[in-house]
Amino acid sequence: MFKKTLLSVLILFVLLSTSHSEDGYELWLRYKKCDQPQLLASYRNHFSGIFLAGNHPSIDAAFSEMVHGLSGIMDKNIPLLKSPQEGAILIGTVTELFPHLQKLSPSFKRPVVPQKKEGYVVVRIPYKQHGLTIITSTSPVGVLYGSFHLLRLLQSQTPVEKLAANESPALDLRMLNHWDNLTRHVERGYAGIALWNWHTLPDYKDPRYTDYARANASLGINAVTVTNVNANALVLTKPYLEKLQALADIFRPYGIRLFLTARFSAPIELDKFKTADPLDEGVKAWWKRKTDEIYQYIPDFGGFLVKANSEGQPGPQNYKRNHADGANMLADAVAPHGGNIVWRAFVYNPESDDRFKQAYEEFKPLDGQFRNNVLVQVKNGPIDFQPREPFSPLFGAISKTPLIMEFQITQEYLGQATHLVYQAPMFKEVLNAETFSNGKPATVLNVIEQRLRPDALTGIAGVANIGNDRNWTGHLFGQANWYAFGRLAWNPNLSSESIAEEWIRQTFNNHPVTVQTVQKMMMGSHESLVRYMTPLGLAHIMGNGHHYGPLPWGNTLGRPDWNPVYYHRADSFGIGFNRTATGTNALAQYAPEVRKQWEDSNSCDEKYLLWFHHVSWQHKMKSGKTLWQELTDHYYQGVNDMRKMKVEWSGLVKKIDPERFNHVSMLLGIQEKEAVWWRNACLLYFQTFSKMPIPAHYEQPDQTLEYYKSLRFPYAPGN
Ligand code: GCW
C-alpha cells in the first residue's frame, strides 16, 4: 500500500515536472537537446568546456547561460576549464582573453572586435583537432551578447564551420516601456498583472526578474522603464527607490539600465509645492535633489521618460511653458550624472481641426530648443498605434533633435492577446518609409539612426506586452513580437522572415514543416488583421475605452477626436478623412515628395487611401472595382485568411507539443470569430451609408447591426 502511494506520488511528480516543460515560460531560450544525431556528435566533439577570462557580473551571466544552454543542447555536462585547451569556448573581453590565447600559441593574433562597446565577435580558430571558439568584445556585456548569439546559432542547428558573428547594434537605446502601475495593473496589458511585485520588493527577488533580464539581454534590449507613462509620483519616493534599486541591481549584469517615468507635478504631490512650473527656481532645485537621490540608489540610472500635457497628464503647459521648457528643466537635473530625458511627442488637444496634426504643431516649432541630452520619442504614426498608419510626419520634419521611435508591442489595437499578429512587417514598413527629410532621400530608419551630435543618443522604444502570465505575453505568439522588436532594435535591416525563422526554430523546433508553416502564418498575419479590422486606410474604429472590438458607429464621447465617426467620416457620399489641401491639409506636414505620393486619390497607395481622402462609394479602385466592393472584398478576405491560418496550424498537430498546440488552436478559434465580428459589424454599419449590397456569393452576416451595437464589454482587460 505504502509502496503504491509512493509510486503514484512519484508518477505525479514526474508528470507535474514535465507538464511545465512546454508552457512557454522558457521563451526562445529552451535549449532542447539537438535532435540531429550527426550535428549533436559534432557539437559534442567541438565543445569540451568553457574557459572564462576575467571576472565581471556580465561574464558570470554569460557563463551561466552558456552552461545552461550548452548542457541542454548537447545533453552533457560542460565543465569550467582551468586553462584553455582544444575544444574550449573562450569567453571574456578581448583585453583579458588575448593573453590566454597567446599562452596557447604566440602565433595567435589579437581578435579584431567592433569598436562599439556592445559589439562582439564569435569566431572559430583552428587549434589542434577541435579548434577553439572565441566570444569576445571590448566590454563584458558585449561578451554576454555574443554568448547569446552563439546559443541562438546552436539552437537553430548551425553547423560548426558556420559559427561566426561580427555584430554591433544599430541604435544606442533599445528600450522597453512597461505601462505598469504600482497597483500591478498593466495599462493595455493582456498578459496578467505586472511582473514587478512592489509589495515584496526589495527583499523578495523573484527569480523571474532574472529570467526577464536574460530574455532581454538575449536580444540586446538594454534599457527599461518599469512604470507607466501615466505616471504615479510615489515611484520617486524612498520606499520605491529601494525597490527599484533591487531591480536595477538584478538587471545590471544583463546590460539593462533602468529609466523612470516622471510625473511632472511630483513636487506638488510629494512635497506640497504650490507649483510645478519648470522655470521656478524651487521646482528646479527639487528635481535636482530628487535626481541626486535616485543616483545614490541607482548609479547608472538612465533618466526620465515623460508623458506631459497629454490625456490629462500634467506638464509645462499648465504653467504656460512649452515642452522644451519642461524637458530642459529635467535635462539639467540629470545632466551632471550623464542621464537623459526621453520626452514623448504623443500629444493632442481638441482645439486642432485634426488630431493627426497635433504632435507636429506642438513640436516642430521647438526643434533646436531642447538640451543635448533630450530625446523626443515619437509614435510610429500620427494618431495612435492603429493597425496601419502612415509614418508620423515628425520623422521628416525634425532635424535638430534626436528622435526615438516608439512602437507598441502590446496589441492594444491589434486584437489584444487573442489575435496572432506578427508585428515585424508592420515595424519595418514604418522604418523603411521614405521621409525626404531636409529634401534628401532618407527613410525613417535613417532619421532615427543619424547621430545628430557626438554625445547624442539614438534609440527605439517598444511598449511591452509582458505580464506575469506563465508564458509572459498571454498569446504564445506575443513572444515573437517581443523577440522581433529586440532583434530589429539591434539590427533594423534584418528581414521579418529571417527573424520569424530564428524565433520559430528556437521556440518550436527545426523541422522544415514547422518552420515553413509557422513562418507563412506569421508573415501574412498583420496584413490579414488590417483586412478584417481597418482595410484601405481606415483607423480608430474600435470600442471605447477598452478598445476591444469594432465600434465604427461610436459617437458618444465628450471629445470629437475620441469618437470613431470622427476618423472614418462615412456619409451618403462616401468614406474617409480628407487631409488634402481641400480638407485639413495634414498632408502639408510631409515633405513635398511624400505629399505628392498621397495627395491624389487616384494615385494614392490604396493602403492609405482613407487616411487622406474622403472618396465616394463608387470611387474607382486600381482593381477596377468600386470602393464599396473593394472594402467588402478586403473584409471577406481577412476572414478567409484567418480560416486558412487555422487550417495551417492544425496541420502541425504532430509537430508541436500538445500544450502549446492547443493553446494556439483555441486562440485562433477566438480570432476567427472576432474577425467575423469585425467584418460583419463594420460592413453592416457602413452599408447604412453606401446603400450597396454585400455580394450574394459571400456568406451573409448572421447577426443584425442592432445586435452588434448592443454588445457591451464592461470588464474587457487592459483598460
Ligand atoms: O494608445 C493610447 C492608450 C493609452 C496610453 C496612450 C499613450 C499610456 O490608449 O492607454 O496611455 O496611448 O501612449 O500615452
Side-chain angles (χ1 to χ4, degrees), residues 373-392:
N373 57 337
V374 175
L375 307 143
V376 171
Q377 182 164 302
V378 182
K379 286 190 183 183
N380 59 272
I383 302 283
D384 196 0
F385 300 136
Q386 293 302 295
R388 169 164 283 132
E389 297 202 25
F391 70 89
S392 161

Side-chain angles (χ1 to χ4, degrees), residues 272-554:
K272 302 204 170 79
F273 272 51
K274 296 248 146 49
T275 178
D277 181 348
L279 300 192
D280 180 279
E281 292 305 323
V283 170
K284 288 188 200 171
W286 187 91
W287 280 105
K288 270 201 192 302
R289 274 198 311 275
K290 184 47 78 184
T291 305
D292 294 346
E293 186 189 351
I294 296 172
Y295 276 94
Q296 282 171 16
Y297 289 91
I298 310 170
D300 56 352
F301 175 59
F304 296 115
L305 167 67
V306 191
K307 170 176 177 177
N309 294 119
S310 165
E311 299 185 331
Q313 293 299 300
Q317 293 173 352
N318 298 30
Y319 309 96
K320 304 208 162 39
R321 315 295 182 194
N322 63 34
H323 290 288
D325 297 326
N328 291 345
M329 183 270 292
L330 293 174
D332 291 342
V334 297
H337 304 279
N340 284 275
I341 299 303
V342 182
W343 193 269
R344 292 176 90 228
F346 175 66
V347 294
Y348 59 103
N349 75 33
E351 276 101 67
S352 179
D353 64 340
D354 185 355
R355 175 171 164 189
F356 187 115
K357 300 195 296 192
Q358 266 285 303
Y360 178 104
E361 284 169 351
E362 285 190 34
F363 280 83
K364 172 74 181 160
L366 301 176
D367 191 14
Q369 295 183 30
F370 292 98
R371 295 280 191 273
N372 282 0
N373 57 337
V374 175
L375 307 143
V376 171
Q377 182 164 302
V378 182
K379 286 190 183 183
N380 59 272
I383 302 283
D384 196 0
F385 300 136
Q386 293 302 295
R388 169 164 283 132
E389 297 202 25
F391 70 89
S392 161
L394 280 173
F395 290 110
I398 296 282
S399 57
K400 300 188 196 83
T401 313
L403 297 183
I404 290 195
M405 167 63 73
E406 179 173 323
F407 284 128
Q408 190 182 44
I409 311 170
T410 190
Q411 294 172 225
E412 176 178 0
Y413 303 101
L414 301 178
Q416 306 186 348
T418 53
H419 292 212
L420 189 166
V421 186
Y422 174 52
Q423 295 170 322
M426 179 181 83
F427 297 158
K428 287 194 66 94
E429 181 173 303
V430 177
L431 292 172
N432 293 337
E434 187 51 70
T435 65
F436 288 95
S437 165
N438 289 323
K440 284 185 245 91
T443 62
V444 171
L445 175 61
N446 297 150
V447 171
I448 62 169
E449 267 183 341
Q450 195 194 356
R451 195 175 302 283
L452 289 178
R453 289 178 295 272
D455 62 337
L457 294 181
T458 60
I460 187 165
V463 180
N465 60 347
I466 302 158
N468 78 337
D469 271 8
R470 181 74 194 158
N471 73 4
W472 304 84
T473 52
H475 199 306
L476 185 76
F477 276 77
Q479 296 181 1
N481 293 329
W482 178 5
Y483 187 91
F485 169 78
R487 295 289 288 133
L488 283 174
W490 180 273
N491 180 359
N493 295 316
L494 291 173
S495 70
S496 306
E497 288 88 347
S498 68
I499 296 172
E501 178 173 343
E502 283 179 8
W503 179 78
I504 298 161
R505 287 179 182 276
Q506 298 170 89
T507 302
F508 295 116
N509 53 61
N510 286 280
H511 198 289
V513 173
T514 310
V515 174
Q516 280 156 27
T517 311
V518 179
Q519 191 185 35
K520 182 162 167 253
M521 290 170 59
M522 289 168 74
M523 286 307 297
S525 60
H526 172 250
E527 202 59 56
S528 303
L529 173 124
V530 171
R531 290 187 186 115
Y532 65 70
M533 281 190 179
T534 53
L536 302 177
L538 286 171
H540 212 289
I541 54 174
M542 68 289 155
N544 289 335
H546 49 59
H547 297 166
Y548 171 66
L551 193 87
W553 49 86

Side-chain angles (χ1 to χ4, degrees), residues 120-176:
Y120 57 84
V121 291
V122 176
V123 273
R124 292 265 315 149
I125 52 176
Y127 180 68
K128 298 193 177 162
Q129 209 188 335
H130 301 308
L132 301 169
T133 309
I134 314 276
I135 305 177
T136 190
S137 162
T138 58
S139 73
V141 74
V143 174
L144 175 66
Y145 289 163
S147 305
F148 275 113
H149 192 127
L150 179 72
L151 291 169
R152 175 162 70 234
L153 295 178
L154 298 180
Q155 287 205 91
S156 315
Q157 304 193 337
T158 311
V160 172
E161 56 289 0
K162 293 221 172 112
L163 297 176
N166 184 339
E167 294 267 332
S168 289
L171 299 162
D172 303 322
L173 270 185
R174 305 176 299 276
M175 165 133 112
L176 282 185

